[in-house]
Amino acid sequence: MLEGLAVWALLIYLLRLIGMPWNLYSKAFAYIGGSAWLLFVWVGLITYTPMDLSGGSLVQSPHIQLRPGSTQVTGNIKAIHVKPNQQVTKGQLIYELEDQVYQIALNKAAAQVQSAEVALSSSLDDVRINESKYAIANKEIKINLDEQVEIEADLNWKSTTLQRYIDQNKVAAFTITESKLDEQKTAVQVASAKLTVLRSQAEKLILNAQQAQLNTLKSGHAVNSRKADVANQTEVYAQAQWNLDNTRVYAPADGYLTNFIIREGQYIGALPRIQMYTNEKYVLMRVNHQAIRNIKVGQGAEFSSAVYPGHIFAAEVEGIIEATGEAQGSLLAKETPVRATTGQNVMNKHHFVRLKLIETEDYDIPVGAVGLAWISGAKPIAFLGFLDVIRGIIIRMKSQIYYFYSM
């Protein structure tokens, strides 16, 4: 507000220099116009170029818990490869746990995989054996059928010969002796008996072939079961390998460690004992309600902190936090009290905006630093662009105060 007044006072001073008389009209212009200008600038500043004059805009950074990837991976620290507050790079080894238990589990899983593979190989052999039995049974059936055809032909020939002997004796008695007839009858009976035996054997061979076929299908199911066992044991082995790998904790990103106090031999359980911050930094800035509608992602901003007095950091709007902590409702099934809720939130006139901080190589602002920030919001007309100039002047003037006083 004082800056806007200073601009108006400068205008009046220049007008006086060029000869403007100091009379009733010029005084009215100076005082009334100055008040109007001051009101205009003040409304414009708080609406289109919001600034957190409290000095509480906070530098933050994503923090990462450095612990195994699962709460099931626990143990005592075997070795620590970093020091407190050290800069680390992505993939750098931080610490490792004692891994004897996980190495034993991995070896056991490897043996189980090998056992499952042996069982699968045995099942495949059973399939091949049953397929061979089925093929042999089919060949035996074919041989039996060929023998039946041969016996049937022989039986037909012998039966025809016997009938011819009988017909011949009817025409010319005793031309065929009784012994010859008996011999031929016996030959027909023997052939008929052989054919009956072959037919019985064929039925048995067909049953054997069907049994071999069923055994082949059963062996195929056993193979599928063994394959599933191998796949399951392979996954168990992969889990054991993953657990073993997670006994060594690496930095997931570039950043720096905090002031940790873990030591070798200390137990690492469900709770993390060490964490790190990434090199990505952003500023959490509060914006008044009048201006929040004019803030959009990607808009330019500036930040200044007592860590680097007189220096202005460039920034841009990375995100708008739509909800505040005060907006959190109760999970309990009860009605919200009007007076208590209103009384607690009557002073809540701001929202948070997240600014992406742009650091140059010569500056490294620590996480937790606070300072001033402002945003160049959306404006209805280009003429209001001079408000950005005023905010730029304000933050640069206030950044000089940081040489003497941390607001």
Side-chain angles (χ1 to χ4, degrees):
M1 188 172 185
L2 294 177
E3 289 77 6
L5 184 60
V7 172
W8 182 258
L10 177 62
L11 174 63
I12 298 301
Y13 176 74
L14 294 176
L15 291 176
R16 291 294 305 278
L17 285 180
I18 61 176
M20 183 184 75
W22 190 244
N23 52 30
L24 178 64
Y25 299 104
S26 60
K27 290 180 180 180
F29 170 75
Y31 298 144
I32 298 175
S35 299
W37 167 257
L38 193 60
L39 178 63
F40 170 75
V41 170
W42 178 250
V43 173
L45 289 176
I46 65 175
T47 304
Y48 303 113
T49 56
M51 183 175 188
D52 184 8
L53 293 171
S54 68
S57 295
L58 178 65
V59 178
Q60 296 183 328
S61 175
H63 67 276
I64 304 171
Q65 297 177 354
L66 296 175
R67 50 152 302 124
S70 171
T71 56
Q72 303 301 317
V73 181
T74 60
N76 296 326
I77 296 177
K78 178 181 179 181
I80 302 175
H81 301 277
V82 293
K83 296 180 180 180
N85 307 306
Q86 176 182 330
Q87 290 283 339
V88 294
T89 57
K90 182 178 181 180
Q92 181 176 343
L93 180 60
I94 305 299
Y95 66 89
E96 50 186 317
L97 303 178
E98 295 178 355
D99 60 357
Q100 292 89 341
V101 174
Y102 301 100
Q103 187 63 58
I104 292 172
L106 180 64
N107 296 338
K108 182 179 179 181
Q112 291 174 342
V113 170
Q114 186 176 4
S115 176
E117 290 176 345
V118 170
L120 174 60
S121 178
S122 177
S123 297
L124 292 173
D125 291 339
D126 290 341
V127 170
R128 287 189 288 267
I129 291 172
N130 288 319
E131 287 177 347
S132 299
K133 289 181 178 180
Y134 180 65
I136 292 173
N138 286 330
K139 289 182 180 179
E140 290 177 347
I141 291 173
K142 186 176 183 304
I143 292 172
N144 181 277
L145 293 176
D146 292 340
E147 290 179 351
Q148 287 187 43
V149 171
E150 181 181 354
I151 293 300
E152 285 178 353
D154 182 62
L155 177 61
N156 291 333
W157 177 76
K158 290 179 178 179
S159 297
T160 302
T161 301
L162 176 62
Q163 187 63 42
R164 189 170 62 249
Y165 286 170
I166 294 172
D167 293 340
Q168 183 176 340
N169 276 346
K170 287 180 180 180
V171 176
F174 303 108
T175 55
I176 302 298
T177 62
E178 289 295 329
S179 61
K180 188 69 174 177
L181 285 173
D182 292 339
E183 181 181 353
Q184 191 62 31
K185 288 179 181 179
T186 301
V188 170
Q189 292 174 353
V190 170
S192 178
K194 286 184 178 181
L195 182 60
T196 301
V197 170
L198 287 175
R199 287 174 177 172
S200 299
Q201 291 178 347
E203 293 178 356
K204 182 179 180 180
L205 292 174
I206 290 174
L207 292 176
N208 291 338
Q210 291 175 348
Q211 183 65 38
Q213 187 178 23
L214 291 175
N215 289 337
T216 300
L217 294 175
K218 184 178 178 180
S219 299
H221 295 320
V223 167
N224 293 333
S225 177
R226 296 294 179 268
K227 287 181 178 179
D229 291 341
V230 170
N232 180 63
Q233 295 302 327
T234 300
E235 293 302 320
V236 171
Y237 177 83
Q239 179 67 53
Q241 181 66 62
W242 186 86
N243 289 341
L244 179 62
D245 293 340
N246 271 267
T247 60
R248 299 168 66 88
V249 178
Y250 299 89
D254 294 341
Y256 55 95
L257 301 174
T258 58
N259 189 30
F260 63 86
I261 56 173
I262 63 172
R263 296 295 181 265
E264 293 182 2
Q266 186 174 357
Y267 180 78
I268 297 295
L271 297 178
R273 302 291 183 179
I274 181 175
Q275 66 180 4
M276 65 169 287
Y277 287 91
T278 68
N279 288 335
E280 178 188 358
K281 297 176 184 177
Y282 57 88
V283 175
L284 197 63
M285 170 191 172
R286 70 173 188 174
V287 174
N288 53 290
H289 284 171
Q290 297 96 321
I292 193 66
R293 69 182 185 276
N294 298 316
I295 304 303
K296 303 293 186 292
V297 174
Q299 291 175 340
E302 289 183 332
F303 174 76
S304 178
S305 173
V307 177
Y308 293 103
H311 182 75
I312 306 299
F313 291 92
E316 67 176 25
V317 178
E318 186 179 60
I320 301 171
I321 302 175
E322 299 290 344
T324 64
E326 292 83 357
Q328 180 68 46
S330 175
L331 297 178
L332 300 178
K334 64 177 184 178
E335 298 299 330
T336 304
V338 177
R339 185 173 62 178
T341 303
T342 304
Q344 291 175 357
N345 295 280
V346 67
M347 298 303 294
N348 180 26
K349 298 178 174 60
H350 299 84
H351 271 70
F352 277 129
V353 173
R354 176 169 166 165
L355 308 178
K356 182 179 180 181
L357 193 62
I358 302 174
E359 292 180 307
T360 58
E361 296 180 357
D362 298 333
Y363 296 93
D364 182 17
I365 190 166
V367 174
V370 295
L372 299 169
W374 73 277
I375 301 172
S376 176
K379 302 172 183 61
I381 56 176
F383 169 74
L384 296 179
F386 76 91
L387 296 173
D388 292 347
V389 178
I390 295 177
R391 281 302 192 200
I393 294 173
I394 294 173
I395 194 171
R396 282 160 176 79
M397 291 174 60
K398 291 185 177 295
S399 68
Q400 303 300 320
I401 302 177
Y402 283 136
Y403 280 106
F404 312 98
Y405 175 69
S406 180
M407 292 177 289

